[in-house]
Amino acid sequence: MKRWLLHPAVTVFVVLVVVYGLTGARTITGFGDSDELIAAGYNLALPHQPGYPLMTALLFMTTRLPLANPALLGHRLAGTVMALVVSVCVVVFYHFNRGKQWRVAVAVGLIIGGSGLVWRHGNHLEVFGLMGLFSITLLWGVLVLKKHWFWWGVVAGLGLGHHQLLLLTFVPQLLWVLVQQKRRFWPIMAGLGLGVVITLVGIGLIGWRQHPDSWQIEVSVIGVVNYFLRSNYSGYSMGAGETLSAYVSAVDWVSVWHSWGFYLSRMWQYWGWWNLAGLVGLFWGRKIYQGYWLILICFVTSGPVLAGYLTVNQPLIVERMYVLSQFYWGLLIGFGLILTRLKWVWLLMSVLWVMWMFPQQSLANYVIQERYIEGVFEDLPDGAALICLSDASCFGSYYYQSVLGKRTDVLVLTNADQFRFGRKTAWAFGGFDYLDNPFRLGEAVGRATFQGRPIYVTQLSQVWITELGLNDQAFLAKPDGIFRWKIERPEVVNQVDCGNDSMCELRRLSFGVWREPNAIEPRLRLAEGFERYGLIDLAKRERLHVQLIGEGLSQFPGQSLK
């Protein structure tokens, strides 16, 4: 026990828990999925695909503690997990040196924990810290423990159930093991299967609760598997005439080149001059330990290769997905440090590095998202409808209503078909469920304005102005305060000349449906438009709506099509 207490990994863990605790966010941040995950965990509700049952359970146990507000407790959980990930990195690194270079091992831990992207995700909750813990724990099993392969498979299964991006490092590690000894395959596969099954059962149990704030799921074996595989986490492309995965992006050499440039530029911001030590370790690390090659492969697949696949350079979208690669690059930096004898120098510089990064990384006083959400809901009329159009506004509203219990009278309309927290869907106005119609949000706007309900929108961009016809083509959006716009129905609408643009033509036809949601003629014209451009399934659904409206079913709130 005493030997473990003196282990450099324990020192690093204690230091980082304190540092992340001092610099961590204390309220909602609006970063990525953070606000949604905390709200879902607090309610033990199902977050978006693939479900994150382990993260949700940990959050439920953490955020319910009577110690602080749920957001702060969720972020502290993130800090603890990230400190643990870095500590396992130190265990692996220390093993390379046969437990001889204590100071360098602590320095490596502080360098990894103090790097920009790792520290940032130790300050606020996201799924990538826990994914990193699975990945580095698996690396530890491969290079250090070298046994208990059934349980290694269980950990891998749980990790893949948490986030499929773990494949980027799991596959190289699995191949590394099998090349050395093929008979380990079946114990690993058995454990892997058990880990995945545990994950699926967790998703099913949380979905079975049918909490009002869960994302919608079909509670069946097939439904749970589809949820886990993200098969229904997608969008409909009118141009392509098909459903596209949320993670499919067009790949071309120019965009790949740009994405690599973006990745390299961010690496400089994450690590600064420590990258030079990483380059030294990149070229000379192979002389230290054979596990170098596995670490290098894991870095390349989870960093540069992933960057080339994503082919976009929007930090809010892709930057968080690079967290996994940072742990492996940190180990390569450690290889570079080993080649020198400057043990105390590296330890001192790592401490100065953390002190220098401290004020830059702190989110302790970050209240922008909290003030934004407060401003969005401020002075909204009772029973108003509010359209949110991005993660920041939708997930912030989710936390505001579901966790804080504020302004629950407001009906929040999201642009994601399955995200209908509070069971307050667009169809509370009366009408039919449009699970596969790309115009469903506009239908909701039409019903709300038609019934005289006050309706507002936040985070409005030019794209949504065009898609929803908010420039007097279907409705009109007028500024109402700093953070929102009020939507109105103009008496006279602007005509749209679409020429040969099929997407524009379908959008124009949909405008007529929105303005007269209970009328048959506009829906028939839209159905004909769908047929003209080969969207037969949507045309059939529209004609079925016509039939049901003719039967008077549009007067029954909550009526949905099966």
Side-chain angles (χ1 to χ4, degrees):
M1 177 63 70
K2 182 178 180 180
R3 183 169 63 90
W4 274 104
L5 290 176
L6 295 176
H7 197 286
V10 175
T11 301
V12 170
F13 176 79
V14 172
V15 170
L16 291 183
V17 165
V18 172
V19 169
Y20 294 156
L22 293 174
T23 60
R26 288 166 165 74
T27 183
I28 55 176
T29 62
F31 299 156
D33 303 325
S34 180
D35 301 345
E36 179 216 4
L37 291 169
I38 294 173
Y42 178 82
N43 292 293
L44 198 58
L46 198 64
H48 70 277
Q49 293 88 331
Y52 312 110
L54 179 58
M55 173 69 78
T56 302
L58 290 174
L59 281 167
F60 178 73
M61 292 184 290
T62 302
T63 56
R64 288 287 176 170
L65 295 174
L67 301 175
N69 71 75
L72 187 151
L73 293 173
H75 298 315
R76 293 302 174 271
L77 174 64
T80 303
V81 169
M82 190 60 76
L84 189 56
V85 181
V86 177
S87 298
V88 179
C89 289
V90 173
V91 170
V92 174
F93 177 80
Y94 200 48
H95 175 76
F96 292 149
N97 303 288
R98 298 178 177 85
K100 294 181 179 180
Q101 300 198 35
W102 185 91
R103 299 175 189 85
V104 179
V106 173
V108 169
L110 295 181
I111 292 168
I112 297 175
S115 64
L117 194 57
V118 173
W119 195 333
R120 193 178 313 159
H121 282 76
N123 280 347
H124 77 279
L125 184 84
E126 253 288 3
V127 299
F128 300 98
L130 188 56
M131 180 174 66
L133 180 59
F134 280 114
S135 182
I136 296 300
T137 300
L138 292 174
L139 180 73
W140 179 29
V142 171
L143 298 181
V144 180
L145 297 181
K146 299 181 180 180
K147 55 184 178 180
H148 306 305
W149 296 110
F150 172 80
W151 293 108
W152 188 87
V154 172
V155 173
L158 292 173
L160 290 172
H162 176 68
H163 202 293
Q164 287 93 339
L165 203 61
L166 185 68
L167 283 168
L168 295 170
T169 57
F170 166 68
V171 171
Q173 292 175 17
L174 177 62
L175 294 177
W176 182 275
V177 172
L178 296 181
V179 166
Q180 296 180 12
Q181 195 171 0
K182 294 181 179 179
R183 65 185 179 86
R184 297 169 181 168
F185 177 79
W186 292 113
I188 289 176
M189 288 299 103
L192 182 69
L194 178 59
V196 171
V197 168
I198 292 173
T199 298
L200 295 177
V201 170
I203 295 172
L205 289 175
I206 296 175
W208 174 75
R209 292 184 71 239
Q210 293 188 328
H211 190 278
D213 298 320
S214 284
W215 283 55
Q216 305 303 300
I217 183 175
E218 177 189 338
V219 185
S220 65
V221 174
I222 295 177
V224 170
V225 171
N226 286 337
Y227 204 88
F228 169 64
L229 296 177
R230 302 174 183 252
S231 62
N232 50 2
Y233 188 39
S234 58
Y236 196 91
S237 169
M238 290 182 290
E242 60 186 4
T243 300
L244 301 178
S245 167
Y247 290 100
V248 170
S249 56
V251 177
D252 61 82
W253 289 114
V254 174
S255 60
V256 168
W257 176 258
H258 288 165
S259 66
W260 270 66
F262 166 74
Y263 181 76
L264 293 177
S265 68
R266 302 307 289 183
M267 286 293 286
W268 173 257
Q269 295 184 34
Y270 302 151
W271 299 96
W273 292 104
W274 290 116
N275 283 305
L276 297 180
L279 292 176
V280 173
L282 189 65
F283 288 103
W284 298 103
R286 66 185 185 278
K287 295 184 176 181
I288 299 173
Y289 190 72
Q290 65 171 352
Y292 157 85
W293 293 109
L294 178 58
I295 292 172
L296 177 61
I297 293 171
C298 288
F299 164 70
V300 171
T301 54
S302 62
V305 169
L306 178 63
Y309 168 74
L310 292 175
T311 65
V312 290
N313 59 358
Q314 300 179 41
L316 291 177
I317 297 177
V318 301
E319 187 178 39
R320 56 196 176 137
M321 296 186 182
Y322 297 146
V323 176
L324 187 56
S325 68
Q326 302 306 289
F327 305 115
Y328 293 92
W329 183 247
L331 290 173
L332 294 173
I333 289 176
F335 290 149
L337 300 183
I338 289 177
L339 295 176
T340 71
R341 297 183 179 180
L342 305 176
K343 301 175 184 178
W344 280 106
V345 172
W346 298 133
L347 180 58
L348 177 60
M349 289 185 65
S350 67
V351 172
L352 294 176
W353 161 258
V354 171
M355 294 175 62
W356 181 70
M357 293 289 287
F358 192 96
Q360 301 180 49
Q361 294 294 326
S362 180
L363 293 176
N365 298 315
Y366 188 87
V367 293
I368 294 176
Q369 172 72 352
E370 182 179 57
R371 291 177 179 174
Y372 162 65
I373 294 298
E374 289 279 359
V376 168
F377 282 90
E378 185 179 16
D379 299 328
L380 277 178
D382 292 343
L386 174 69
I387 300 176
C388 60
L389 297 173
S390 75
D391 288 355
S393 55
C394 290
F395 296 158
S397 300
Y398 181 18
Y399 183 91
Y400 192 78
Q401 289 189 323
S402 182
V403 176
L404 301 184
K406 296 182 178 180
R407 294 307 308 267
T408 55
D409 62 292
V410 175
L411 174 62
V412 178
L413 308 176
T414 70
N415 64 338
D417 291 344
Q418 295 175 306
F419 184 32
R420 310 172 188 179
F421 57 88
R423 293 180 182 169
K424 298 177 179 179
T425 74
W427 322 117
F429 308 127
F432 310 111
D433 208 344
Y434 259 59
L435 291 179
D436 60 355
N437 192 320
F439 308 117
R440 56 165 294 280
L441 188 58
E443 175 95 1
V445 176
R447 290 190 178 278
T449 57
F450 182 77
Q451 296 177 4
R453 179 190 288 260
I455 185 165
Y456 300 80
V457 61
T458 184
Q459 281 198 306
L460 184 61
S461 65
Q462 184 58 52
V463 171
W464 283 104
I465 289 175
T466 301
E467 292 297 320
L468 296 177
L470 300 182
N471 49 1
D472 272 349
Q473 293 181 359
F475 311 106
L476 177 63
K478 294 183 178 180
D480 184 78
I482 301 176
F483 302 112
R484 66 182 184 232
W485 291 258
K486 190 175 190 302
I487 296 179
E488 299 177 350
R489 287 172 57 90
E491 293 298 326
V492 180
V493 299
N494 295 329
Q495 296 299 315
V496 184
D497 182 10
C498 293
N500 295 322
D501 187 339
S502 59
M503 295 177 66
C504 172
E505 174 66 12
L506 291 174
R507 193 181 301 118
R508 183 186 66 80
L509 291 171
S510 71
F511 293 162
V513 173
W514 300 347
R515 286 184 56 80
E516 301 179 75
N518 289 331
I520 290 179
E521 278 302 317
R523 290 184 181 274
L524 288 175
R525 288 194 293 270
L526 180 57
E528 292 171 357
F530 283 145
E531 292 169 344
R532 187 159 56 250
Y533 294 109
L535 304 179
I536 305 303
D537 289 340
L538 295 184
K540 290 180 179 178
R541 177 60 62 92
E542 202 62 53
R543 291 188 182 280
L544 185 53
H545 276 65
V546 168
Q547 176 184 340
L548 294 175
I549 289 174
E551 296 173 359
L553 294 181
S554 62
Q555 303 303 315
F556 294 92
Q559 177 71 38
S560 62
L561 295 175
K562 300 296 183 182

